[in-house]
Amino acid sequence: MAKIHQNNVRSLILERNDGPTSAADGHHHFRLWTAFSGAAFRRKIFDAVSCGGSSRYGREILDDEGISLPTPKAKTEMESRGVDSEKGNGRKPEKQKEAKGCVSKSEKLLDLLNLAEGEAASEIKKKEEALEELKIVVKDLQSESEEQRREAASKVRSLAKENSETRVTLAMLGAIPPLAGMLDFQLADSQISSLYALLNLGIGNDLNKAAIVKAGAVHKMLKLIESPVAPNPSVSEAIVANFLGLSALDSNKPIIGSSGAVPFLVKTLKNSDKKVSPQAKQDALRALYNLSIFPSNISFILETDLIRYLLEMLGDMELSERILSILSNLVSTPEGRKAISRVPDAFPILVDVLNWTDSPGCQEKASYVLMVMAHKSYGDRQAMIEAGIASALLELTLLGSTLAQKRASRILECLRVDKGKQVSGTYGGNLVAAAAVSAPICGSSSSTSTNPNGVAKECLEEEEDMMSEEKKAVKQLVQQSLQNNMKRIVKRANLPQDFVPSEHFKSLTTSSTSKSLPF
């Protein structure tokens, strides 16, 4: 055996082939392990780094002292000749055990590497098979047979339901245009299969949503709705679901809003014929919310009677928060604010929502709608006061969420400014009127000559009476506000209905001044 000197990582040796022919020739032939594939090269690297080589390829291993460790084949020959392998190579038993353990670790690394390579190859094969299956499905979508296309659409629906990579691949293979074309079929089953296939292709994929609209699917859906023959209820629900998914993309909002989809969605939401499922109503409401985000769609919404219906439906807790979200978008335009204020009992309904302590989200959205309307219109502020908003706002500033408290404070500030102007105007007008009426009396020569002090005293008494009436009205308003708030707090605390306030509370309400007024 001949060996090559080691480097720092234990080089592998070359195995010499001493055959009979070579011996005769006097030449020695060396055999180099020829394995230049990537996998074999990585195996050699692992062997060299970990232990210095693997015994499964018949190579010798050199230790740190340069003493060779025999291969299994050489060890067998030595044992057959009766030579102790451990003594033959001059190694100690401990060194021999370490070398065996090193070889074992190297073989394990090779096994793991081979396993990883096998798994990768298997994964690639599966992906190739899946791609071929998708190609066949897309090819069937372009078939002349309606039945074959319907079956292919059903496969697309199931394949794209939960796999995002499959959605991308199907769209790249051209599945969207033929699916949109299937909406022209007369058979309801074909329409439903196509609609739900398009719906699943658009899940979480904005490029697919844009491609579906670009393929003309929205106009084909509306054509189905507007046909003289009433569409199948399942078809209508599938169209609503598609409008919901497609309207989530900002670039699709103006296209869907201007296409005439809003009246259809409002009709579905109102469910006048009682043929719509609760899920379809939820989808229609959410689609209308998506469309209301885009300002140009608000005019299409105002052409319907949606606002009146939304305010009437505010008692439904399943829909209320979404309804208030739509109203929050509508108040961003002057037309939307006017439409809300024109609805009878709009402000009492919104003020009542402020008392929904079990729904902080509804309180926050209702306070936002009222805050915007109070900031923009004096007439709306007066309507809010008449609806009893003062006590609700006071309670909200104490018990509401942080956001609701801030909005309630803003509304109170607007109302306080109006009240200050109103009070100052009332005092100024009353003083001017009093001066105009009493001037001839106080300024006449006869009155002044007879009893000037008496006339002045009479004027002061009238002014004091006037001021006392204002103070009485203010004091009465403060007491009513505090009592209403106490009743609400008692109700929220689940105290007995016959709860009687303590004397301390009564003294607080009777001794309150106008400083506790909300405005």
Side-chain angles (χ1 to χ4, degrees), residues 165-413:
E165 293 182 1
T166 302
R167 296 174 203 139
V168 175
T169 306
L170 286 170
M172 293 177 64
L173 293 174
I176 291 177
L179 286 172
M182 289 180 63
L183 297 177
D184 295 329
F185 290 164
Q186 299 298 321
L187 193 61
D189 291 341
S190 299
Q191 296 170 359
I192 293 173
S193 298
S194 172
L195 286 168
Y196 281 110
L198 291 171
L199 176 66
N200 289 348
L201 284 175
I203 295 175
N205 193 310
D206 291 344
L207 293 177
N208 287 1
K209 290 174 183 176
I212 292 170
V213 174
K214 189 175 181 180
V218 172
H219 296 285
K220 292 180 181 293
M221 294 176 193
L222 292 173
K223 187 177 178 181
L224 290 176
I225 298 166
E226 297 168 356
S227 63
V229 180
N232 188 302
S234 299
V235 174
S236 298
E237 292 185 8
I239 292 174
V240 171
N242 271 274
F243 282 158
L244 170 60
L246 297 175
S247 63
L249 184 64
D250 288 341
S251 60
N252 288 345
K253 287 179 173 65
I255 299 174
I256 298 174
S258 60
S259 66
V262 173
F264 166 70
L265 293 172
V266 173
K267 181 181 178 181
T268 304
L269 177 62
K270 295 172 70 173
N271 189 20
S272 56
D273 52 3
K274 306 298 181 183
K275 294 181 180 179
V276 180
S277 66
Q279 182 61 48
K281 289 185 64 175
Q282 289 276 1
D283 291 346
L285 186 63
R286 293 168 63 191
L288 287 168
Y289 167 72
N290 288 343
L291 295 177
S292 68
I293 295 173
F294 199 76
S296 65
N297 289 334
I298 293 179
S299 60
F300 300 115
I301 294 175
L302 297 180
E303 291 175 0
T304 66
D305 59 345
L306 177 63
I307 293 179
R308 182 189 297 271
Y309 178 77
L310 292 179
L311 289 171
E312 292 175 355
M313 292 297 295
L314 265 180
D316 189 345
M317 298 305 295
E318 294 183 0
L319 306 177
S320 293
E321 191 162 355
R322 188 70 61 180
I323 289 173
L324 290 167
S325 298
I326 296 175
L327 295 177
S328 299
N329 292 333
L330 296 181
V331 296
S332 63
T333 63
E335 296 80 9
R337 293 191 293 272
K338 290 178 182 178
I340 293 174
S341 61
R342 283 197 297 262
V343 176
D345 298 330
F347 291 109
I349 293 172
L350 291 172
V351 169
D352 183 62
V353 177
L354 299 179
N355 299 320
W356 293 0
T357 55
D358 56 341
S359 180
C362 290
Q363 286 181 322
E364 293 172 358
K365 291 177 174 59
S367 61
Y368 174 79
V369 174
L370 292 168
M371 180 184 69
V372 174
M373 298 189 72
H375 179 68
K376 297 293 185 179
S377 173
Y378 173 80
D380 291 342
R381 292 195 289 270
Q382 296 304 309
M384 294 176 194
I385 294 173
E386 294 174 1
I389 194 174
S391 59
L393 291 175
L394 281 173
E395 182 178 356
L396 200 59
T397 55
L398 296 174
L399 305 174
S401 64
T402 303
L403 183 57
Q405 288 178 359
K406 291 181 179 179
R407 291 173 176 174
S409 300
R410 293 286 300 274
I411 301 172
L412 286 171
E413 185 65 28

